[in-house]
Amino acid sequence: METNLTSSNGNSSSNGTFDTWFGGPPADVSAQAGIQLRAFFLNLAVSMSLFAFAILAFFLLKSAAIGRRIYQPKTYLVQERLRVDAVPADPIRWIRRIFSIRDDELKRKCGLDGYFFIRFLRAILLIFVPLMVVVVTVLLPINYNKGKGNNFHSTTDGSRSQWNVAGLDTLSWQNVDPGRTNRYWAHLVCAILVISWSLYRMYREKVHFIDVRQRFLTSPEHRIKASAKTILVTNIPSEYRSKEALEALYDVFVDNDDRSRLVVWVNRDYKSLRNLVARRRSLRHALEKEELRIMRLCNKKFRKNGKVSGGSQVDEKNVRDSDIFDDEHPVRQEQVQQRLTRIFEQDCSEETQLWLNYLKPSAASQLSLIRGVGDDWKPASFFKFWVSGESRKAPKVAWLRSEIARLTIQIDALLTDLDSDALFKKQNSAFIQFDRQMAAHMACSLVSHNKAGRMSPRFLEVAPHEVIWANMDVTSLGRFIRTCIAVVLFVAILLLWGIPTTILGSLSQLASLSYSVHWLGWLRDWPSWILGLISGPLVSILLALLIQLVVPALARKLAVLVGSPTKTKREVITQNFYFTFLFVELVLLTAVSSSVVKIVPQIVDNPVSVPTLLATNIPSSANYFFNYLIVQSLSYSGSVLFQFLRILYITMIWPWFTQTPREEAWLQTTIPHQMWGNVYALFTNFAAIGFIFSVVSPLILVFVSVTFSLFWVAYRHNYYFVQRNKIDTHGLLFNNALSQLFAGIYVMEIALIGLFLLVRDSDDNVACKSQATIMIVVLILTAAFHFVMEQHLRPLYEFLPVTIEDTAADAEQRLLSVIRDDGRVSRDEESGNDINDDDVNSETALGNTMDGVSDDRAQTKNMSATARNARKALLGLGKDTAARIKDFQVHLPAQPDISRRREVADQLSAAIAGYPDELTDLTPDERAAQLKAAFQDPVTRESAPVIWVPQDKAGISEDVLRQAAKYGHFLQYSNAGAFLADNNKVEVTQPAPDTRPDWLLDWVL
């Protein structure tokens, strides 16, 4: 099925520009051979206009109120150590600031992946800019001077015929006159130069990658992280699925076989607990939305009519003391449900709620309930019409409160029994933390089991927040089957890609189809501008959504299906899938103007035809990629800076939805993060295009150089001022991208072999056999270089050499000494209580979670106790954080204006700064609790949710807090840091009250 978007007659010039705006599949490039300069400059003019608009809008908005949120959130919405200075208002100062950012700054503020992506763009420039200077200078005159052009020539039968080489084609390979075939020696020399220089630069970049990665991983700041000394072991046999067995196996890697230096977390299947937590979160969101809806209606009436007298409070006579949960006097389990039922019935009463003074009872949403098993009331569902039983109507708020409290009781009961094999079966994976980083690398590099496939694969540098817990129980056989299924599905995507592109191709030809297809004749009555809008920009936008959103999302799903245990591994696999898709569908098949369905049988029947197939199509397809790269370099790079989609989302789309304080806080505090697998694959594909056409059409080198130059500036700004890292592969994607560049080099070499064999002199004889033979040798040498380089460097990609261990260990000890000297005392000591010396030892708390607590090893073997200690530490840390944040809070806001919005943003910034973002911000006790539970499923540390409602002038939120107090700790409300302004919009000056106080520590564990 065709992947092209134009009809076979090639009538696509009117849509050629629009079809490439968003990097969509190219048009029928063979029909565009000999593109006219007028069309080329028209495309250039449109792209430059879009670029100028985006840049102008960027400079106008970047210092405005909305610009601070869009273009420089890292100046105030991140932890202190990641904050940067404000973006200079002056364009000249801004560009100077972009060029003056040091590499060390990029590593600290953007992480290794951000640094290496900027390095990748720079590496491509270092390859293509020198080649542009040399190859363009040499080949353009050779191709153009005394070329074919529109000259006449004699054919084999003695007649005269005219060449038809025009436009930009006069600067490329096909313009060389058959009477001057000796000029192709220059193309051979330039090809060898391109290949040699590229391979040299790729090797140098890989060596640099290894050096930077090793220095980062052995830095003292990284070595003290839990992830630096922890490995993930998968496919563990049943006899080793216990802490004791794994400690006995891996104690050989610690000094004196001291098992107290090991920490082991055997993973368990907490799916049932996770489902309960997910349901509770969903109900929390629904309750907050309903509370806010009622609150807004009441405040609208309040502002219109003024204060309503006689506002009722909680009627104490309707709430017996025995019905109120007292956290200091817990009751038995059977009494809890009875009290919840009584409180629910009391909540259904409509006499004691303040909002009734403003609204009618019918204003509250009602639910139809059916009594289920265990006397629980469940919402009636239209899709479960067969369910019968006692039914009733109840206020939605009352049922949601009761249900959240009931779920909290169930979850709390499960949290006390996390080690139960009956409730949570053990999985075949475990995290093992050693006392030294080198011990972890040794354990990961050596074979752990005498049977093939057992206790492998093993993974290093696994950060707790990057674990994909759903894939912790995948076996080797399961992983193999999953991989086969994922590959089959990916091939299906490649084969079926022609379906959506054919449909969009038909849309791009609506005007023609309205005349050629009789049942579409009704389209002739439509205005021409509507047809042009559909067939032009709309098609391009839909293609952009398919290629840059849908395809990467599918690739990421396939990466999870394969069984990726971490998000780092998921991004690497996503990069491989997405690059393969782009290279096959948007480069190779575009170049040969065909589809997978057509081209694969042809290659299978005659494999040796590949060079000829590429040679006959690549020269003519170069013209399309000129347009493609022009649009990418100008329009797309401008949009990367302008970020019009984020502006549209924040200013127009989001305000249409109901914004609870939690949603508003999420919107204001969430900083864009890069999906690395997408962006690396896209730009690797650009570079591959440059390699393929570098000799055939040397002008491509100019466009590639401009493209990467503009993107280097755009992404340098975005990564430094806007985006933050959620996933850091420590440069693995950079190394993978360098290896993928070989795809472009191999295709270039194969195409040149075919091109040299197709060259005919004026007597119609093969004229470049020698050049073709040399290119075959070069292809073999390239493959040999590629193999040797990867074999030579691969061990250094992941594992650390022993030679740097002593130096790194000394640096770590010096840092720990500084931390010990400046370390904070525990909160108990601040209160005047005595503590042990071991608890103050920052080195043991940071270096090994078990050191200093060896007397309590029996307790640490219990996951329930570990999780309970972690929750207790988080509770104390949360109180301390809340006390610091409270200093930044203000009372009800005035009428919102620009200055007020900035004040609210500053308060939110100060609140974020109040959260700890380094392990050294914690006391030794808190650090130990954090590190002990670091690699337990985070659902085991889930605390009860807090229903967050905004403060309001009508006093509804205060009444709601009093109403909910009877639920005790099973249902908590808060109105801290949230306000309902006079325009009924929610403003927040802090993250949600139930935000984990250690949420910023995810990046340092």
Side-chain angles (χ1 to χ4, degrees):
M1 188 170 292
E2 290 292 332
T3 62
N4 305 317
L5 295 183
T6 58
S7 59
S8 59
N9 60 10
N11 184 21
S12 63
S13 60
S14 62
N15 294 327
T17 299
F18 294 111
D19 288 340
T20 58
W21 273 5
F22 297 90
D28 189 347
V29 292
S30 61
Q32 295 185 23
I35 183 172
Q36 298 298 317
L37 290 177
R38 182 178 60 183
F40 171 78
F41 284 115
L42 176 62
N43 191 22
L44 180 62
V46 172
S47 299
M48 290 187 67
S49 299
L50 293 174
F51 178 76
F53 170 79
I55 293 298
L56 180 61
F58 167 75
F59 282 121
L60 289 176
L61 293 177
K62 67 182 177 66
S63 298
I66 187 66
R68 189 187 187 204
R69 177 71 183 89
I70 300 294
Y71 301 118
Q72 43 185 326
K74 288 176 70 174
T75 60
Y76 72 105
L77 281 182
V78 295
Q79 51 267 50
E80 291 286 353
R81 64 185 177 88
L82 293 181
R83 291 188 182 181
V84 298
D85 296 333
V87 178
D90 181 65
I92 302 301
R93 293 180 57 201
W94 171 77
I95 195 67
R96 288 175 58 187
R97 181 70 184 104
I98 293 298
F99 277 86
S100 64
I101 299 174
R102 301 187 308 274
D103 287 350
D104 290 341
E105 272 189 285
L106 280 175
K107 295 172 190 175
R108 289 199 310 270
K109 307 295 185 181
C110 309
L112 275 193
D113 275 339
Y115 163 77
F116 273 121
F117 181 73
I118 301 298
R119 178 82 185 189
F120 179 73
L121 299 180
R122 174 182 176 272
I124 299 302
L125 287 173
L126 287 178
I127 291 174
F128 281 100
V129 171
L131 291 178
M132 176 188 67
V133 174
V134 176
V135 176
V136 170
T137 303
V138 172
L139 291 186
L140 285 191
I142 291 176
N143 292 337
Y144 182 79
N145 188 33
K146 297 181 180 180
K148 294 177 181 178
N150 294 320
N151 299 325
F152 287 89
H153 65 98
S154 300
T155 62
T156 55
D157 59 2
S159 61
R160 300 275 294 172
S161 178
Q162 186 180 21
W163 297 112
N164 186 25
V165 181
L168 297 178
D169 287 345
T170 59
L171 304 176
S172 60
W173 174 286
Q174 58 263 46
N175 194 46
V176 178
D177 191 275
R180 298 177 175 86
T181 55
N182 59 331
R183 293 186 177 185
Y184 284 111
W185 284 105
H187 293 80
L188 175 65
V189 173
C190 287
I192 295 175
L193 175 64
V194 169
I195 296 168
S196 302
W197 174 248
S198 301
L199 297 184
Y200 169 73
R201 289 306 314 169
M202 290 161 62
Y203 175 77
R204 294 297 305 166
E205 290 299 330
K206 280 180 173 283
V207 171
H208 174 78
F209 154 74
I210 292 171
D211 178 60
V212 172
R213 177 178 165 86
Q214 288 182 353
R215 283 192 283 114
F216 176 84
L217 295 182
T218 57
S219 65
E221 293 81 8
H222 181 78
R223 284 171 62 94
I224 65 175
K225 293 181 180 181
S227 56
K229 305 175 183 181
T230 305
I231 66 172
L232 169 61
V233 183
T234 61
N235 202 32
I236 301 175
S238 56
E239 63 269 20
Y240 284 101
R241 295 177 192 174
S242 68
K243 291 189 176 184
E244 293 77 11
L246 289 173
E247 287 175 350
L249 179 64
Y250 283 99
D251 62 3
V252 67
F253 297 104
V254 297
D255 293 339
N256 300 320
D257 294 347
D258 185 2
R259 298 180 186 178
S260 66
R261 296 178 176 271
L262 289 173
V263 187
V264 176
W265 295 270
V266 179
N267 296 320
R268 290 179 178 269
D269 183 8
Y270 292 113
K271 183 178 180 180
S272 58
L273 177 60
R274 192 177 291 108
N275 291 338
L276 290 176
V277 170
R279 174 167 170 75
R280 185 172 65 177
R281 289 175 180 171
S282 176
L283 295 179
R284 178 193 64 187
H285 176 67
L287 179 56
E288 289 178 344
K289 289 183 65 176
E290 182 64 16
E291 296 279 17
L292 179 62
R293 187 185 68 83
I294 295 175
M295 196 174 298
R296 280 175 166 165
L297 293 175
C298 291
N299 278 269
K300 185 177 180 180
K301 286 287 188 68
F302 175 83
R303 287 189 293 272
K304 181 178 180 181
N305 302 325
K307 183 175 178 61
V308 179
S309 59
S312 62
Q313 303 296 328
V314 179
D315 190 352
E316 299 295 343
K317 66 181 180 181
N318 290 334
V319 185
R320 299 197 307 270
D321 290 340
S322 59
D323 290 340
I324 301 177
F325 283 104
D326 186 355
D327 294 339
E328 296 182 358
H329 300 87
V331 296
R332 293 192 302 271
Q333 183 71 24
E334 59 270 15
Q335 295 177 316
V336 172
Q337 295 295 339
Q338 297 176 3
R339 291 193 181 186
L340 271 183
T341 301
R342 288 196 296 266
I343 292 175
F344 168 67
E345 296 296 338
Q346 189 277 327
D347 247 358
C348 291
S349 171
E350 299 174 347
E351 300 176 357
T352 63
Q353 302 181 45
L354 180 60
W355 66 269
L356 288 171
N357 293 333
Y358 298 93
L359 305 173
K360 296 181 180 180
S362 59
S365 300
Q366 300 287 315
L367 285 178
S368 297
L369 303 177
I370 295 179
R371 189 183 295 276
V373 180
D375 291 336
D376 293 331
W377 291 100
K378 302 293 184 183
S381 174
F382 173 78
F383 298 102
K384 296 182 178 181
F385 55 87
W386 62 87
V387 178
S388 60
E390 182 183 352
S391 62
R392 63 175 293 184
K393 290 277 189 178
K396 184 177 182 179
V397 168
W399 181 82
L400 288 172
R401 290 176 181 174
S402 175
E403 187 68 7
I404 291 174
R406 186 184 65 82
L407 288 173
T408 299
I409 294 170
Q410 293 183 18
I411 292 171
D412 287 348
L414 291 176
L415 289 177
T416 62
D417 204 9
L418 295 176
D419 298 280
S420 171
D421 291 334
L423 293 175
F424 310 112
K425 74 178 186 69
K426 291 181 179 179
Q427 297 178 316
N428 67 344
S429 62
F431 293 95
I432 304 173
Q433 187 176 110
F434 298 85
D435 60 336
R436 293 171 299 146
Q437 184 185 40
M438 187 53 63
H441 281 256
M442 293 168 62
C444 200
S445 61
L446 296 178
V447 178
S448 295
H449 201 276
N450 60 307
K451 292 185 179 180
R454 299 292 181 91
M455 305 190 76
S456 68
R458 296 175 296 279
F459 301 90
L460 283 166
E461 298 293 338
V462 179
H465 71 282
E466 292 187 5
V467 177
I468 301 177
W469 295 99
N471 284 345
M472 287 294 100
D473 199 29
V474 181
T475 63
S476 294
L477 178 61
R479 185 173 285 106
F480 174 77
I481 295 174
R482 284 165 165 249
T483 301
C484 293
I485 294 174
V487 171
V488 170
L489 291 176
F490 180 69
V491 172
I493 293 174
L494 292 176
L495 295 175
L496 299 177
W497 178 247
I499 295 177
T501 53
T502 300
I503 295 174
L504 293 177
S506 300
L507 290 177
S508 69
Q509 300 295 322
L510 277 183
S512 301
L513 292 175
S514 64
Y515 289 94
S516 59
V517 181
H518 69 278
W519 57 270
L520 291 178
W522 54 274
L523 290 175
R524 302 170 195 171
D525 299 330
W526 284 25
S528 58
W529 67 269
I530 293 181
L531 294 178
L533 182 67
I534 295 175
S535 61
L538 180 60
V539 170
S540 298
I541 292 173
L542 293 176
L543 283 171
L545 294 177
L546 276 176
I547 294 173
Q548 296 191 16
L549 293 180
V550 176
V551 175
L554 292 176
R556 193 162 281 104
K557 291 292 185 182
L558 293 179
V560 176
L561 175 62
V562 166
S564 304
T566 67
K567 295 176 182 178
T568 292
K569 188 67 175 177
R570 182 195 67 187
E571 287 303 302
V572 173
I573 297 177
T574 299
Q575 179 191 22
N576 293 333
F577 276 134
Y578 190 36
F579 172 76
T580 303
F581 175 87
L582 292 174
F583 192 71
V584 171
E585 290 286 354
L586 304 188
V587 178
L588 295 182
L589 297 183
T590 293
V592 298
S593 300
S594 187
S595 66
V596 174
V597 176
K598 289 185 176 182
I599 204 69
V600 170
Q602 182 177 348
I603 295 176
V604 171
D605 293 339
N606 187 13
V608 296
S609 67
V610 173
T612 304
L613 181 66
L614 292 174
T616 54
N617 290 280
I618 280 182
S620 60
S621 67
N623 298 299
Y624 165 75
F625 289 104
F626 290 155
N627 284 327
Y628 180 69
L629 290 175
I630 285 174
V631 173
Q632 293 295 332
S633 62
L634 295 175
S635 303
Y636 186 38
S637 65
S639 68
V640 167
L641 272 179
F642 182 40
Q643 301 182 61
F644 64 90
L645 289 179
R646 287 195 66 220
I647 294 177
L648 182 67
Y649 178 76
I650 291 177
T651 60
M652 298 183 65
I653 297 178
W654 185 260
W656 283 93
F657 297 91
T658 300
Q659 291 182 19
T660 64
R662 191 179 305 276
E663 291 172 329
E664 180 66 17
W666 178 87
L667 176 69
Q668 297 300 333
T669 59
T670 299
I671 294 179
H673 64 278
Q674 190 62 262
M675 305 304 288
W676 293 113
N678 303 12
V679 68
Y680 267 102
L682 185 63
F683 285 91
T684 307
N685 192 59
F686 292 162
I689 292 172
F691 284 125
I692 293 172
F693 295 96
S694 58
V695 176
V696 174
S697 188
L699 200 60
I700 201 79
L701 296 172
V702 177
F703 295 110
V704 172
S705 299
V706 172
T707 297
F708 279 89
S709 298
L710 293 176
F711 278 115
W712 183 84
V713 173
Y715 278 108
R716 203 168 170 86
H717 168 90
N718 276 6
Y719 289 154
Y720 190 74
F721 291 104
V722 181
Q723 296 176 338
R724 71 172 302 165
N725 257 0
K726 274 194 173 181
I727 302 170
D728 200 337
T729 68
H730 302 135
L732 292 179
L733 293 170
F734 170 82
N735 179 63
N736 208 27
L738 291 176
S739 298
Q740 289 171 348
L741 290 178
F742 277 92
I745 294 177
Y746 288 139
V747 171
M748 178 192 72
E749 293 172 339
I750 294 173
L752 285 176
I753 293 172
L755 284 168
F756 282 130
L757 292 176
L758 289 178
V759 172
R760 298 292 188 271
D761 57 21
S762 55
D763 296 327
D764 202 30
N765 297 320
V766 177
C768 295
K769 289 183 179 179
S770 301
Q771 292 94 325
T773 303
I774 295 174
M775 279 307 306
I776 294 174
V777 175
V778 171
L779 174 62
I780 296 173
L781 291 177
T782 302
F785 174 85
H786 187 190
F787 176 79
V788 173
M789 180 183 68
E790 291 296 334
Q791 292 297 315
H792 178 63
L793 299 179
R794 182 175 290 114
L796 299 174
Y797 292 160
E798 184 174 7
F799 300 114
L800 296 175
V802 180
T803 53
I804 61 178
E805 171 63 14
D806 291 341
T807 303
D810 293 340
E812 180 184 3
Q813 291 301 318
R814 288 194 297 269
L815 175 64
L816 292 174
S817 299
V818 173
I819 295 175
R820 186 165 51 246
D821 293 339
D822 296 338
R824 297 168 51 193
V825 295
S826 69
R827 304 190 196 285
D828 292 335
E829 186 178 3
E830 291 173 354
S831 303
N833 298 331
D834 294 334
I835 59 173
N836 296 328
D837 293 337
D838 288 339
D839 294 333
V840 191
N841 192 329
S842 300
E843 176 180 350
T844 57
L846 288 171
N848 185 355
T849 62
M850 298 306 295
D851 288 352
V853 290
S854 58
D855 295 337
D856 197 25
R857 283 185 52 78
Q859 185 181 15
T860 60
K861 290 180 180 296
N862 186 293
M863 297 187 72
S864 297
T866 304
R868 183 173 61 251
N869 291 338
R871 292 195 300 272
K872 183 178 179 181
L874 288 178
L875 180 63
L877 181 60
K879 291 180 179 179
D880 184 65
T881 303
R884 289 196 300 271
I885 292 177
K886 190 176 181 180
D887 297 335
F888 306 118
Q889 303 307 309
V890 295
H891 297 290
L892 293 177
Q895 187 67 24
D897 54 20
I898 294 178
S899 61
R900 171 59 191 160
R901 286 197 294 268
R902 188 174 184 90
E903 180 185 350
V904 170
D906 289 340
Q907 292 179 29
L908 183 59
S909 170
I912 292 175
Y915 285 87
D917 63 340
E918 291 283 2
L919 288 174
T920 52
D921 293 337
L922 308 181
T923 65
D925 291 339
E926 291 167 347
R927 281 197 296 269
Q930 277 290 113
L931 294 173
K932 288 175 193 174
F935 288 94
Q936 281 187 209
D937 194 321
V939 75
T940 63
R941 305 192 298 277
E942 188 77 18
S943 58
V946 175
I947 310 303
W948 198 18
V949 295
Q951 302 175 31
D952 65 304
K953 291 184 178 180
I956 304 298
S957 68
E958 295 294 337
D959 180 69
V960 167
L961 264 63
R962 287 189 292 269
Q963 291 281 344
K966 54 184 172 288
Y967 284 95
H969 74 276
F970 296 119
L971 180 67
Q972 303 178 56
Y973 272 70
S974 174
N975 61 3
F979 309 96
L980 192 64
D982 290 340
N983 60 359
N984 253 359
K985 298 292 185 180
V986 174
E987 291 182 342
V988 296
T989 58
Q990 68 170 55
D994 55 356
T995 299
R996 282 178 48 186
D998 63 339
W999 67 292
L1000 293 178
L1001 294 175
D1002 283 343
W1003 284 270
V1004 297
L1005 286 177

